[in-house]
Amino acid sequence: MESNEIFQKGQQLPKKWFTGNAFLNPLLDRDKNNEFSVGVVTFEAGARTNWHTHPKGQVLIVIEGSGFYQERGKPARVIKKGDVVNIPEGIEHWHGASSSRNLVHIAITNFKNNIQVNWLQPVTDNEYASVAL
Ligand code: MN
């Protein structure tokens, strides 16, 4: 498994919102100047977020491995090291690793009224299998 040599992996993310093993290393908290937080998220092979929305959007910068980004009703996009994903506000989506490689991305997540993310249902094995061929 590739691991990135820049950032620590951090702490495991809750199974309630993530399928498989995913980890967060928080890099920067929201403060008086920055209406966002920044963190490094590591997904082991097969791991992914639940479906979710961001009330004021999110930017992902992939720094290692490969995986998927999918918006509801659209084909999944393959993402890999160096790719940037600009996720609009309110769009239902998920992101995660490929079935055989890990994915590490930086996530820059904006706040709106103190909320960054609204969590929805898991990405089922069938949904995942349909994109992770
Ligand atoms: Mn997201």
Side-chain angles (χ1 to χ4, degrees):
M1 177 178 115
E2 305 97 324
S3 60
N4 88 87
E5 297 177 354
I6 306 174
F7 301 108
Q8 298 290 316
K9 198 158 79 165
Q11 300 298 314
Q12 178 132 22
L13 285 160
K15 299 288 187 180
K16 182 179 180 183
W17 298 324
F18 294 80
T19 297
N21 294 318
F23 301 83
L24 172 67
N25 174 358
L27 298 181
L28 187 74
D29 288 332
R30 179 195 201 182
D31 63 23
K32 64 184 173 60
N33 291 326
N34 302 313
E35 284 292 313
F36 53 80
S37 67
V38 181
V40 179
V41 184
T42 298
F43 298 90
E44 293 185 354
R48 65 268 188 183
T49 67
N50 280 17
W51 290 98
H52 62 282
T53 63
H54 303 288
K56 207 167 167 56
Q58 180 183 54
V59 172
L60 306 178
I61 303 169
V62 181
I63 61 172
E64 197 61 62
S66 74
F68 303 99
Y69 166 73
Q70 185 175 30
E71 297 180 357
R72 178 69 80 182
K74 295 185 179 178
R77 171 183 164 187
V78 174
I79 56 175
K80 60 186 188 326
K81 185 175 181 175
D83 287 342
V84 177
V85 182
N86 191 2
I87 303 168
E89 69 279 12
I91 294 292
E92 191 174 342
H93 70 281
W94 64 272
H95 25 110
S98 76
S99 57
S100 60
R101 296 181 64 190
N102 71 340
L103 175 77
V104 184
H105 67 52
I106 294 173
I108 303 166
T109 312
N110 300 299
F111 284 85
K112 182 179 184 181
N113 301 328
N114 293 321
I115 297 172
Q116 282 183 298
V117 56
N118 294 303
W119 289 109
L120 302 167
Q121 66 274 37
V123 175
T124 66
D125 288 344
N126 281 344
E127 286 174 316
Y128 184 74
S130 74
V131 305
L133 297 175

CSV table of all heavy atoms in Angstrom, one decimal, residues 56-90:
chain,number,residue,atom,x,y,z
A,56,LYS,N,-21.5,24.5,1.9
A,56,LYS,CA,-20.8,25.5,1.1
A,56,LYS,C,-19.6,25.0,0.3
A,56,LYS,O,-18.6,25.6,0.1
A,56,LYS,CB,-20.3,26.6,2.1
A,56,LYS,CG,-20.2,28.0,1.5
A,56,LYS,CD,-20.0,29.1,2.5
A,56,LYS,CE,-19.6,30.4,1.9
A,56,LYS,NZ,-20.4,30.9,0.8
A,57,GLY,N,-19.7,23.7,0.0
A,57,GLY,CA,-18.7,23.1,-0.9
A,57,GLY,C,-17.5,22.6,-0.3
A,57,GLY,O,-17.3,22.8,1.0
A,58,GLN,N,-16.6,21.9,-1.0
A,58,GLN,CA,-15.4,21.3,-0.6
A,58,GLN,C,-14.4,21.2,-1.7
A,58,GLN,O,-14.9,21.0,-2.9
A,58,GLN,CB,-15.7,19.9,0.0
A,58,GLN,CG,-14.5,19.2,0.6
A,58,GLN,CD,-14.9,17.8,1.0
A,58,GLN,OE1,-15.5,17.0,0.3
A,58,GLN,NE2,-14.6,17.5,2.3
A,59,VAL,N,-13.2,21.3,-1.5
A,59,VAL,CA,-12.1,21.1,-2.5
A,59,VAL,C,-11.3,19.9,-2.0
A,59,VAL,O,-10.9,19.9,-0.8
A,59,VAL,CB,-11.2,22.3,-2.7
A,59,VAL,CG1,-10.1,22.0,-3.6
A,59,VAL,CG2,-12.1,23.4,-3.3
A,60,LEU,N,-11.0,18.9,-2.9
A,60,LEU,CA,-10.2,17.8,-2.6
A,60,LEU,C,-8.9,17.9,-3.5
A,60,LEU,O,-9.0,18.2,-4.7
A,60,LEU,CB,-10.9,16.5,-2.9
A,60,LEU,CG,-12.2,16.2,-2.3
A,60,LEU,CD1,-12.8,14.9,-2.8
A,60,LEU,CD2,-12.2,16.3,-0.8
A,61,ILE,N,-7.8,17.6,-2.9
A,61,ILE,CA,-6.5,17.6,-3.6
A,61,ILE,C,-5.9,16.2,-3.3
A,61,ILE,O,-5.5,15.9,-2.2
A,61,ILE,CB,-5.5,18.7,-3.2
A,61,ILE,CG1,-6.2,20.1,-3.3
A,61,ILE,CG2,-4.2,18.6,-3.9
A,61,ILE,CD1,-5.4,21.2,-2.7
A,62,VAL,N,-5.8,15.4,-4.4
A,62,VAL,CA,-5.3,14.0,-4.2
A,62,VAL,C,-3.8,14.1,-4.1
A,62,VAL,O,-3.1,14.6,-5.1
A,62,VAL,CB,-5.8,13.1,-5.3
A,62,VAL,CG1,-5.3,11.7,-5.1
A,62,VAL,CG2,-7.3,13.1,-5.4
A,63,ILE,N,-3.2,13.5,-3.1
A,63,ILE,CA,-1.8,13.5,-2.9
A,63,ILE,C,-1.2,12.1,-3.0
A,63,ILE,O,0.1,12.0,-3.1
A,63,ILE,CB,-1.3,14.2,-1.6
A,63,ILE,CG1,-1.9,13.5,-0.4
A,63,ILE,CG2,-1.7,15.7,-1.6
A,63,ILE,CD1,-1.3,14.0,0.9
A,64,GLU,N,-2.0,11.1,-3.0
A,64,GLU,CA,-1.4,9.7,-3.2
A,64,GLU,C,-2.5,8.7,-3.6
A,64,GLU,O,-3.7,8.9,-3.2
A,64,GLU,CB,-0.9,9.3,-1.8
A,64,GLU,CG,0.1,8.1,-1.9
A,64,GLU,CD,1.3,8.4,-2.8
A,64,GLU,OE1,2.1,9.3,-2.4
A,64,GLU,OE2,1.5,7.7,-3.8
A,65,GLY,N,-2.1,7.8,-4.4
A,65,GLY,CA,-3.0,6.7,-4.7
A,65,GLY,C,-4.1,7.0,-5.8
A,65,GLY,O,-3.9,7.9,-6.6
A,66,SER,N,-5.2,6.2,-5.8
A,66,SER,CA,-6.2,6.5,-6.7
A,66,SER,C,-7.6,6.0,-6.1
A,66,SER,O,-7.6,5.2,-5.2
A,66,SER,CB,-6.0,5.8,-8.0
A,66,SER,OG,-6.2,4.4,-7.9
A,67,GLY,N,-8.6,6.6,-6.7
A,67,GLY,CA,-9.9,6.3,-6.1
A,67,GLY,C,-11.0,6.9,-7.0
A,67,GLY,O,-10.8,7.0,-8.2
A,68,PHE,N,-12.1,7.3,-6.4
A,68,PHE,CA,-13.3,7.7,-7.1
A,68,PHE,C,-13.9,8.9,-6.4
A,68,PHE,O,-13.9,9.1,-5.2
A,68,PHE,CB,-14.4,6.6,-7.2
A,68,PHE,CG,-13.8,5.3,-7.8
A,68,PHE,CD1,-13.4,4.3,-7.0
A,68,PHE,CD2,-13.8,5.2,-9.2
A,68,PHE,CE1,-13.0,3.1,-7.6
A,68,PHE,CE2,-13.3,4.1,-9.7
A,68,PHE,CZ,-12.9,3.0,-8.9
A,69,TYR,N,-14.6,9.7,-7.3
A,69,TYR,CA,-15.5,10.8,-6.8
A,69,TYR,C,-16.7,10.6,-7.6
A,69,TYR,O,-16.7,10.5,-8.9
A,69,TYR,CB,-14.9,12.2,-7.0
A,69,TYR,CG,-15.9,13.3,-6.9
A,69,TYR,CD1,-16.3,13.7,-5.7
A,69,TYR,CD2,-16.4,14.0,-8.0
A,69,TYR,CE1,-17.3,14.7,-5.5
A,69,TYR,CE2,-17.3,15.0,-7.9
A,69,TYR,CZ,-17.8,15.3,-6.7
A,69,TYR,OH,-18.7,16.3,-6.5
A,70,GLN,N,-17.9,10.6,-7.0
A,70,GLN,CA,-19.1,10.4,-7.7
A,70,GLN,C,-20.2,11.3,-7.2
A,70,GLN,O,-20.4,11.3,-5.9
A,70,GLN,CB,-19.6,8.9,-7.7
A,70,GLN,CG,-20.9,8.7,-8.5
A,70,GLN,CD,-21.3,7.3,-8.6
A,70,GLN,OE1,-21.1,6.5,-7.6
A,70,GLN,NE2,-21.9,6.9,-9.7
A,71,GLU,N,-20.9,12.0,-8.1
A,71,GLU,CA,-22.1,12.8,-7.7
A,71,GLU,C,-23.3,11.9,-8.0
A,71,GLU,O,-23.3,11.2,-9.0
A,71,GLU,CB,-22.1,14.1,-8.5
A,71,GLU,CG,-21.0,15.0,-8.2
A,71,GLU,CD,-21.0,16.3,-8.9
A,71,GLU,OE1,-21.9,16.5,-9.8
A,71,GLU,OE2,-20.1,17.1,-8.7
A,72,ARG,N,-24.3,12.0,-7.2
A,72,ARG,CA,-25.6,11.3,-7.4
A,72,ARG,C,-26.1,11.4,-8.8
A,72,ARG,O,-26.2,12.6,-9.3
A,72,ARG,CB,-26.6,11.8,-6.4
A,72,ARG,CG,-27.9,11.1,-6.5
A,72,ARG,CD,-27.9,9.6,-6.1
A,72,ARG,NE,-28.0,9.5,-4.6
A,72,ARG,CZ,-27.9,8.3,-4.0
A,72,ARG,NH1,-27.8,7.2,-4.7
A,72,ARG,NH2,-27.9,8.2,-2.7
A,73,GLY,N,-26.4,10.3,-9.5
A,73,GLY,CA,-26.9,10.3,-10.8
A,73,GLY,C,-25.9,10.5,-12.0
A,73,GLY,O,-26.3,10.6,-13.1
A,74,LYS,N,-24.6,10.6,-11.6
A,74,LYS,CA,-23.6,10.8,-12.6
A,74,LYS,C,-22.6,9.6,-12.5
A,74,LYS,O,-22.5,9.0,-11.5
A,74,LYS,CB,-22.9,12.1,-12.4
A,74,LYS,CG,-23.7,13.3,-12.6
A,74,LYS,CD,-22.9,14.6,-12.5
A,74,LYS,CE,-23.8,15.8,-12.7
A,74,LYS,NZ,-23.0,17.1,-12.6
A,75,PRO,N,-21.9,9.4,-13.6
A,75,PRO,CA,-20.8,8.3,-13.6
A,75,PRO,C,-19.7,8.8,-12.6
A,75,PRO,O,-19.5,10.0,-12.4
A,75,PRO,CB,-20.2,8.3,-15.0
A,75,PRO,CG,-21.2,9.1,-15.8
A,75,PRO,CD,-21.9,10.0,-14.9
A,76,ALA,N,-19.1,7.8,-12.0
A,76,ALA,CA,-18.0,8.1,-11.1
A,76,ALA,C,-16.8,8.6,-11.9
A,76,ALA,O,-16.6,8.2,-13.0
A,76,ALA,CB,-17.6,6.9,-10.3
A,77,ARG,N,-16.1,9.5,-11.3
A,77,ARG,CA,-14.8,10.0,-11.9
A,77,ARG,C,-13.6,9.4,-11.2
A,77,ARG,O,-13.6,9.3,-9.9
A,77,ARG,CB,-14.8,11.6,-11.6
A,77,ARG,CG,-13.5,12.2,-12.0
A,77,ARG,CD,-13.5,13.7,-11.7
A,77,ARG,NE,-12.1,14.3,-11.7
A,77,ARG,CZ,-11.9,15.5,-11.3
A,77,ARG,NH1,-12.8,16.3,-10.9
A,77,ARG,NH2,-10.6,15.9,-11.4
A,78,VAL,N,-12.7,8.8,-11.9
A,78,VAL,CA,-11.5,8.3,-11.4
A,78,VAL,C,-10.6,9.4,-11.0
A,78,VAL,O,-10.4,10.4,-11.8
A,78,VAL,CB,-10.8,7.4,-12.4
A,78,VAL,CG1,-9.4,6.9,-11.8
A,78,VAL,CG2,-11.6,6.1,-12.7
A,79,ILE,N,-10.1,9.4,-9.7
A,79,ILE,CA,-9.2,10.5,-9.3
A,79,ILE,C,-7.9,9.8,-8.8
A,79,ILE,O,-7.9,8.7,-8.3
A,79,ILE,CB,-9.8,11.3,-8.2
A,79,ILE,CG1,-10.3,10.5,-7.0
A,79,ILE,CG2,-11.0,12.1,-8.7
A,79,ILE,CD1,-10.8,11.3,-5.8
A,80,LYS,N,-6.8,10.6,-9.1
A,80,LYS,CA,-5.5,10.0,-8.7
A,80,LYS,C,-4.6,11.2,-8.3
A,80,LYS,O,-5.0,12.4,-8.4
A,80,LYS,CB,-4.9,9.3,-9.9
A,80,LYS,CG,-4.7,10.2,-11.1
A,80,LYS,CD,-4.3,9.3,-12.3
A,80,LYS,CE,-3.9,10.2,-13.5
A,80,LYS,NZ,-4.6,11.4,-13.8
A,81,LYS,N,-3.4,10.8,-7.8
A,81,LYS,CA,-2.5,11.8,-7.3
A,81,LYS,C,-2.3,13.0,-8.2
A,81,LYS,O,-2.1,12.8,-9.4
A,81,LYS,CB,-1.1,11.1,-7.2
A,81,LYS,CG,0.0,11.9,-6.6
A,81,LYS,CD,1.2,11.1,-6.4
A,81,LYS,CE,2.4,11.8,-5.7
A,81,LYS,NZ,3.5,11.0,-5.5
A,82,GLY,N,-2.5,14.2,-7.7
A,82,GLY,CA,-2.4,15.4,-8.4
A,82,GLY,C,-3.7,16.0,-8.9
A,82,GLY,O,-3.8,17.2,-9.3
A,83,ASP,N,-4.8,15.2,-8.8
A,83,ASP,CA,-6.1,15.7,-9.2
A,83,ASP,C,-6.7,16.6,-8.2
A,83,ASP,O,-6.5,16.4,-7.0
A,83,ASP,CB,-7.1,14.5,-9.5
A,83,ASP,CG,-6.7,13.8,-10.8
A,83,ASP,OD1,-6.0,14.3,-11.6
A,83,ASP,OD2,-7.2,12.6,-10.9
A,84,VAL,N,-7.5,17.5,-8.7
A,84,VAL,CA,-8.2,18.5,-7.8
A,84,VAL,C,-9.7,18.4,-8.1
A,84,VAL,O,-10.1,18.3,-9.3
A,84,VAL,CB,-7.8,19.9,-8.0
A,84,VAL,CG1,-8.6,20.9,-7.2
A,84,VAL,CG2,-6.3,20.1,-7.7
A,85,VAL,N,-10.5,18.2,-7.1
A,85,VAL,CA,-12.0,18.1,-7.3
A,85,VAL,C,-12.6,19.3,-6.5
A,85,VAL,O,-12.4,19.5,-5.3
A,85,VAL,CB,-12.5,16.8,-6.7
A,85,VAL,CG1,-14.0,16.7,-6.9
A,85,VAL,CG2,-11.8,15.6,-7.3
A,86,ASN,N,-13.4,20.1,-7.3
A,86,ASN,CA,-14.1,21.2,-6.7
A,86,ASN,C,-15.6,20.9,-6.5
A,86,ASN,O,-16.3,20.8,-7.5
A,86,ASN,CB,-13.9,22.5,-7.6
A,86,ASN,CG,-14.4,23.7,-6.9
A,86,ASN,OD1,-14.8,23.7,-5.8
A,86,ASN,ND2,-14.3,24.8,-7.6
A,87,ILE,N,-16.0,20.6,-5.3
A,87,ILE,CA,-17.3,20.0,-5.1
A,87,ILE,C,-18.3,21.2,-4.8
A,87,ILE,O,-18.1,21.9,-3.8
A,87,ILE,CB,-17.3,19.0,-3.9
A,87,ILE,CG1,-16.3,17.9,-4.3
A,87,ILE,CG2,-18.7,18.5,-3.7
A,87,ILE,CD1,-15.9,17.0,-3.1
A,88,PRO,N,-19.3,21.3,-5.6
A,88,PRO,CA,-20.3,22.4,-5.3
A,88,PRO,C,-21.1,22.2,-4.1
A,88,PRO,O,-21.2,21.1,-3.5
A,88,PRO,CB,-21.2,22.4,-6.6
A,88,PRO,CG,-20.5,21.5,-7.6
A,88,PRO,CD,-19.7,20.6,-6.8
A,89,GLU,N,-21.7,23.3,-3.6
A,89,GLU,CA,-22.5,23.3,-2.4
A,89,GLU,C,-23.8,22.4,-2.7
A,89,GLU,O,-24.3,22.5,-3.8
A,89,GLU,CB,-22.9,24.7,-2.0
A,89,GLU,CG,-23.8,25.4,-2.9
A,89,GLU,CD,-23.1,26.1,-4.1
A,89,GLU,OE1,-21.9,25.8,-4.3
A,89,GLU,OE2,-23.8,26.9,-4.8
A,90,GLY,N,-24.2,21.6,-1.7
A,90,GLY,CA,-25.5,21.0,-1.8
A,90,GLY,C,-25.5,19.8,-2.7
A,90,GLY,O,-26.6,19.2,-2.9
